[in-house]
């Protein structure tokens, strides 16, 4: 039996053709190292163009490093970060945000669909203001959330306004930011700095780039000596062009958005077809590229026998992730197995 991981994660997809071609091109000849190359300059300039602002950009290898080093640059060891209890920085970073910030505490709130709500944020900020408690410094949003839901520009602005009122900063975990941007079909600036976001961890791996995420500082004052943090954290690539060249290729002509839109469209199709099968209940509306579904034991058995692998997520639902690479053929094959065809 051939095992299939098509929907287990959007990390299971390969590199998109544009990213792979850029890697091959970047491998020709010689280039300066550690980011002093033309590929890195071009990629960072293109990110500034996309966000329509003069921001500081750094490339790291993965989302854990991006989030952890970004938060460390925004906090001191006696500070705290307010986030949702299902957020990646709480559940899936192995304590890295606390480690790289020398002890910054994570403060958790709840809320439907993995989203923070202003009342809960303010309650956490004001819970204690004495010197014996870690001082809240950052509110961290996940866009889309771990449960596949989106913060609208208006919701982000409202949270950022409250955050600013209390003197805190806003961090956005955007491992799937491309999917959010494609879903809203608005300028990326409207989802980030114009809505009050100070630092974005911009995911490149999900939309088809190689091992590279971008940490984007919309407030350059927060990026002071961030290059040293990258070096100390093992995130300064000697052959930086292999991190940055795929970015330039995928940002050009909107490839990153088209890839994300394919993932989003595929998720909608998967939910529509899967939801029509007896024994399947779609747990929540599809907003980006995640489908959450409750599967009966019979449906699970069919999928397992056909070789499909996926994760059961928060609340016991199956989490099915589509990617830039997902085709209608992939969706139909999964649905056919779930139906027992």
């Amino acid at each position: 039996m051939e095992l299939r991981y098509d929907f287990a994660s959007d990390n299971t997809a390969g590199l998109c053709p544009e990213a792979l071609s850029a890697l091959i091109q970047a491998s020709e000849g010689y280039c300066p190292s550690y980011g002093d190359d033309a590929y890195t300059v071009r990629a960072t300039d293109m990110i500034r163009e996309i966000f329509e602002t003069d921001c500081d950009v750094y490339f790291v290898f993965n989302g854990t490093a991006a989030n952890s080093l970004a938060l460390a640059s925004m906090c001191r060891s006696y500070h705290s970060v307010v986030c949702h209890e299902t957020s990646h920085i709480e559940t899936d970073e192995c304590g890295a945000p606390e480690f790289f910030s020398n002890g910054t505490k994570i403060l958790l709130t709840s809320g439907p669909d993995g989203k923070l709500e202003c009342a809960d944020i303010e309650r956490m900020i004001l819970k204690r203001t004495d010197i014996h408690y870690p001082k809240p410094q950052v509110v961290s949003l996940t866009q889309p959330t771990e449960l596949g839901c989106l913060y609208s520009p208006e919701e982000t602005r409202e949270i950022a306004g409250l955050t600013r009122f209390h003197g805190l900063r806003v961090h956005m975990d955007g491992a799937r930011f491309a999917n959010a941007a494609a879903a809203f079909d608005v300028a990326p600036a409207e989802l980030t700095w114009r809505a009050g976001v100070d630092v974005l961890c911009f995911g490149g791996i999900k939309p088809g780039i190689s091992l590279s995420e971008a940490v984007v500082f919309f407030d350059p004052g927060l990026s002071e000596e961030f290059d040293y943090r990258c070096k100390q954290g093992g995130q300064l690539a000697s052959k930086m062009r292999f991190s940055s060249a795929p970015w330039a290729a995928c940002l050009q002509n909107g490839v990153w958005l088209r890839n994300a839109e394919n993932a989003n469209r595929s998720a909608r199709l998967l939910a529509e077809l899967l939801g029509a099968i007896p024994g399947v209940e779609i747990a929540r509306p599809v907003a980006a590229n995640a489908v959450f579904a409750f599967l009966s034991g019979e449906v699970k058995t069919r999928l397992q026998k056909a070789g499909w692998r996926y994760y059961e997520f928060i609340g016991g639902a199956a989490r099915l992730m589509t990617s830039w690479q997902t085709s209608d053929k992939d969706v139909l094959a999964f649905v056919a197995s779930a139906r027992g065809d």
Side-chain angles (χ1 to χ4, degrees):
M1 177 181 65
E2 178 187 0
L3 298 182
R4 296 192 64 172
Y5 295 87
D6 308 36
F7 301 101
S9 169
D10 38 4
N11 289 325
T12 62
L15 305 187
C16 70
E18 293 83 359
L20 184 57
S21 177
L23 281 177
I24 294 172
Q25 182 181 353
S27 189
E28 296 176 1
Y30 298 87
C31 277
S33 52
Y34 298 109
D36 292 330
D37 59 275
Y39 296 100
T40 302
V41 170
R42 181 167 180 244
T44 53
D45 283 345
M46 291 181 75
I47 288 176
R48 294 183 185 108
E49 289 175 12
I50 282 172
F51 286 100
E52 306 173 60
T53 191
D54 186 16
C55 47
D56 288 349
V57 180
Y58 298 85
F59 297 108
V60 297
F61 295 124
N62 55 49
T64 297
N67 286 327
S68 302
L69 294 177
L71 290 170
S73 74
M74 302 172 79
C75 296
R76 295 185 183 274
S77 58
Y78 50 81
H79 285 150
S80 56
V81 177
V82 178
C83 68
H84 196 277
E85 62 188 357
T86 63
S87 65
H88 215 73
I89 63 171
E90 162 63 13
T91 63
D92 290 281
E93 308 285 30
C94 196
E98 297 94 323
F99 175 81
F100 280 102
S101 61
N102 294 315
T104 294
K105 188 174 179 63
I106 303 294
L107 302 179
L108 304 180
T109 75
S110 58
D113 300 323
K115 295 170 71 171
L116 294 175
E117 296 186 329
C118 283
D120 294 326
I121 295 172
E122 189 163 47
R123 190 178 303 115
M124 188 60 67
I125 292 173
L126 299 178
K127 180 180 179 180
R128 284 179 62 179
T129 58
D130 58 274
I131 200 169
H132 304 287
Y133 195 74
K135 182 180 180 182
Q137 178 69 9
V138 173
V139 171
S140 179
L141 308 177
T142 306
Q143 177 75 308
T145 72
E146 293 299 317
L147 294 176
C149 295
L150 298 168
Y151 288 97
S152 69
E154 294 75 22
E155 289 173 318
T156 302
R157 262 194 299 273
E158 183 181 8
I159 290 172
L162 172 70
T163 301
R164 285 279 188 278
F165 177 78
H166 289 288
L168 279 67
R169 297 288 196 163
V170 178
H171 161 264
M172 179 172 281
D173 177 353
R176 297 183 177 93
F177 179 78
N179 300 96
F184 282 115
D185 193 26
V186 299
E190 299 299 326
L191 295 172
T192 53
W193 65 271
R194 284 184 185 146
V197 174
D198 295 297
V199 181
L200 168 70
C201 293
F202 186 6
I205 295 171
K206 314 294 189 189
I209 293 172
S210 51
L211 300 178
S212 184
E213 308 277 283
V215 183
V216 183
F217 290 89
F218 298 113
D219 181 349
L222 294 173
S223 68
E224 184 178 359
E225 297 186 343
F226 192 74
D227 49 349
Y228 284 87
R229 290 191 184 277
C230 290
K231 174 62 180 179
Q232 188 181 63
Q235 295 297 315
L236 179 62
S238 57
K239 296 185 178 181
M240 183 71 77
R241 65 190 185 275
F242 294 118
S243 293
S244 57
W247 272 97
C250 288
L251 293 173
Q252 187 173 3
N253 300 322
V255 171
W256 68 292
L257 283 174
R258 288 199 299 276
N259 285 351
E261 173 51 34
N262 178 72
N264 293 356
R265 182 196 61 80
S266 298
R268 293 192 296 269
L269 177 63
L270 177 61
E272 177 186 349
L273 299 180
L274 200 60
I277 298 174
V280 176
E281 178 189 351
I282 303 301
R284 53 178 50 86
V286 174
N289 67 319
V291 176
F292 290 88
F294 294 109
L295 308 178
S296 68
E298 187 174 306
V299 172
K300 289 180 182 180
T301 298
R302 292 174 193 154
L303 291 170
Q304 290 166 359
K305 285 183 177 179
W308 295 98
R309 294 294 181 265
Y310 56 86
Y311 295 105
E312 291 194 337
F313 211 61
I314 300 166
R319 188 194 72 165
L320 307 170
M321 300 298 303
T322 54
S323 71
W324 74 267
Q325 196 171 5
T326 303
S327 67
D328 289 357
K329 181 179 178 182
D330 297 329
V331 172
L332 293 173
F334 185 88
V335 170
S337 296
R339 209 165 34 220
D341 294 352

